Amino acid sequence: MTRPSRSRAACGGRWATAGRLPAAGARLASQQVQRPGAPGAPPAASPPRRTSGPPGPGRGLRSAGPGELAAGVPKSWNPEAEETVSAPASLPGLPVQLLKWPPPATLRSGRTCRYYGCGLVIPECLENCWILDLGSGSGRDCYALSQLVGETGHVTGIDMTESQVEVAKKYIEYHMEKYGFQTPNVTFLHGYIEKLEEIGIKDESYDIVISNCVINLVPDKQAVLQEVYRVLKHGGELYFSDVYASLELPEEIRTHKILWGECLGGALYWKDLAVLAQKIGFCPPRLVTANLITVQNKELERVIGDCRFVSATFRLFKLPKTGPAERCQVIYNGGITGHEKELIFDANFTFKEGEIIEVDKETAAILKNSRFAKDFLIRPIGETLPTCSGCSALESKGIITDPFMLAGQSDSMKSRCSPDVAGGCCGITYS
């Protein structure tokens, strides 16, 4: 039995099953689409269109044609094929300082054809960090991150598809030369993300773990999170984008081959993420961004029924076992490169340089015990809280944890602003 690929080579039409298609998907193989604008690419036949989320390579293209189910590529996409895809002029969510660096070779050489993620998954404060990328695909995120961690940091990419790992390895020397690094700070390994110990990933060896629309394709999500918790240092975090469901998925959705391949059949009920996190030992999930996924295919709509899907970015912190946390006042000192004026920490907290903000006990514990500690002045407050700029905001709006609520608010904002506001994971329309 062929095991489904879980590299960043398929989600939302980007996932391949070791080069094979389910029977329903095989009917779409004759409608293969190459993205326009690349050398040798034929005129696009109604390529898919992103309706929200970060402006990726498919941004601004026409509506999906008959049989095409997702943005980016159809189910006929073959990661082994030499697809011709032009690189985007800019990368969604790219940190300001990264724009000053040479673009990754995987982009310069047309290797975006082998990248299928949901926009870059890049947190803040990365200098000297050790980062593990789960489902690294052809290495685009890893090479971008390698610039940001610097020569004394390190990035490791894990992928279960050996051909993707080999593609990624080809560009190590190129990047190290362009970045002026004496020794490589990137490693690519072949293996399964729920079995990191089998490929030699040691306990408490990484500051940050990232994942870009990959975990939903692993049936045993608890095993993945347990492995992440094991390899993270105390104070470290899992920063990841993925697809979530509004309810526990019935068997008909979970076993539907096309929905599974489209990153919907394996989606976790969003409330279960907090349950798993607490069970394993993480702090409660911190919601960063969210975008609704709209399904407009009649057959798939029938299967899905009342279930809704959202693409969302969360951050999970592993903190040392300390005494009870308490609410605090914090002042951001503006010391994080690329975020000197303000730090958008998550959907609930934006810290502006020099501004006093009151935070809840969980946020205070994270800021005290993570890599962000050096960038904040943190002081406890008594039961009678003094007036400050953050008090009323914290008490009146509460903490947003529901990605569907946040996505609804985002859609409302987009209707009053530009239609191209970016954020979240896939955020795509399936037609």
Side-chain angles (χ1 to χ4, degrees), residues 202-253:
K202 299 180 180 179
D203 294 359
E204 301 181 10
S205 54
Y206 286 89
D207 301 290
I208 303 167
V209 176
I210 70 165
S211 176
N212 193 340
C213 208
V214 171
I215 295 177
N216 73 84
L217 264 290
V218 182
D220 191 350
K221 295 169 179 57
Q222 181 173 328
V224 177
L225 296 180
Q226 285 177 328
E227 277 293 85
V228 170
Y229 189 87
R230 179 183 66 82
V231 305
L232 277 174
K233 300 175 184 177
H234 289 290
E237 73 162 316
L238 168 62
Y239 188 96
F240 67 117
S241 292
D242 224 315
V243 178
Y244 296 89
S246 61
L247 48 80
E248 294 185 7
L249 296 182
E251 184 177 1
E252 184 180 11
I253 296 178

Side-chain angles (χ1 to χ4, degrees), residues 120-142:
L120 292 180
V121 182
I122 297 183
E124 318 81 10
C125 195
L126 301 180
E127 292 90 343
N128 306 316
C129 286
W130 278 59
I131 300 178
L132 179 64
D133 183 3
L134 304 181
S136 53
S138 62
R140 193 191 79 166
D141 286 11
C142 289

Side-chain angles (χ1 to χ4, degrees), residues 85-410:
V85 182
S86 58
S90 62
L91 299 178
L94 200 64
V96 174
Q97 69 272 29
L98 193 57
L99 295 174
K100 302 176 183 178
W101 290 79
T106 47
L107 298 181
R108 292 168 59 87
S109 64
R111 289 305 188 218
T112 45
C113 65
R114 299 180 189 272
Y115 177 83
Y116 312 91
C118 307
L120 292 180
V121 182
I122 297 183
E124 318 81 10
C125 195
L126 301 180
E127 292 90 343
N128 306 316
C129 286
W130 278 59
I131 300 178
L132 179 64
D133 183 3
L134 304 181
S136 53
S138 62
R140 193 191 79 166
D141 286 11
C142 289
Y143 285 122
L145 289 162
S146 74
Q147 305 170 38
L148 298 174
V149 301
E151 192 168 9
T152 56
H154 192 87
V155 181
T156 303
I158 307 292
D159 204 282
M160 68 165 288
T161 306
E162 193 167 6
S163 60
Q164 292 276 325
V165 174
E166 293 307 313
V167 168
K169 287 180 177 179
K170 291 179 181 179
Y171 301 98
I172 293 178
E173 184 177 348
Y174 172 92
H175 285 89
M176 298 310 104
E177 179 181 349
K178 289 297 182 181
Y179 304 159
F181 296 165
Q182 296 300 311
T183 57
N185 71 343
V186 182
T187 303
F188 294 100
L189 300 176
H190 178 223
Y192 296 110
I193 65 175
E194 70 271 43
K195 298 180 179 180
L196 299 177
E197 191 170 13
E198 290 185 0
I199 53 176
I201 305 299
K202 299 180 180 179
D203 294 359
E204 301 181 10
S205 54
Y206 286 89
D207 301 290
I208 303 167
V209 176
I210 70 165
S211 176
N212 193 340
C213 208
V214 171
I215 295 177
N216 73 84
L217 264 290
V218 182
D220 191 350
K221 295 169 179 57
Q222 181 173 328
V224 177
L225 296 180
Q226 285 177 328
E227 277 293 85
V228 170
Y229 189 87
R230 179 183 66 82
V231 305
L232 277 174
K233 300 175 184 177
H234 289 290
E237 73 162 316
L238 168 62
Y239 188 96
F240 67 117
S241 292
D242 224 315
V243 178
Y244 296 89
S246 61
L247 48 80
E248 294 185 7
L249 296 182
E251 184 177 1
E252 184 180 11
I253 296 178
R254 288 188 286 107
T255 58
H256 194 285
K257 292 181 178 180
I258 292 181
L259 291 176
W260 179 269
E262 297 300 322
C263 285
L264 301 183
L268 185 70
Y269 174 38
W270 73 270
K271 290 185 178 181
D272 285 346
L273 177 62
V275 174
L276 288 176
Q278 181 178 10
K279 182 177 181 180
I280 292 168
F282 284 106
C283 291
R286 313 287 304 201
L287 177 61
V288 181
T289 59
N291 285 282
L292 293 173
I293 296 175
T294 303
V295 177
Q296 296 179 340
N297 177 282
K298 295 299 183 183
E299 179 182 350
L300 297 184
E301 285 181 350
R302 179 194 62 78
V303 177
I304 290 170
D306 295 332
C307 185
R308 295 183 298 151
F309 295 92
V310 67
S311 60
T313 300
F314 282 96
R315 55 199 323 167
L316 294 178
F317 284 88
K318 173 184 176 178
L319 298 186
K321 306 300 181 183
T322 57
E326 56 185 347
R327 296 172 73 166
C328 293
Q329 289 180 338
V330 303
I331 301 177
Y332 173 51
N333 65 19
I336 299 177
T337 303
H339 304 270
E340 290 83 0
K341 296 300 182 182
E342 69 174 19
L343 171 65
I344 302 176
F345 190 72
D346 57 22
N348 296 287
F349 288 100
T350 295
F351 301 105
K352 296 184 178 181
E353 180 190 12
E355 183 177 82
I356 301 174
I357 297 292
E358 181 185 326
V359 298
D360 60 280
K361 62 182 182 180
E362 291 167 355
T363 304
I366 290 171
L367 296 179
K368 282 181 180 180
N369 296 286
S370 69
R371 66 186 186 281
F372 296 99
K374 66 182 184 301
D375 298 301
F376 284 85
L377 173 63
I378 304 173
R379 64 184 188 190
I381 52 179
E383 294 182 3
T384 303
L385 304 179
T387 301
C388 68
S389 60
C391 294
S392 59
L394 177 62
E395 292 171 356
S396 62
K397 73 175 184 180
I399 300 298
I400 300 175
T401 61
D402 182 347
F404 289 92
M405 177 186 296
L406 180 61
Q409 293 178 359
S410 298

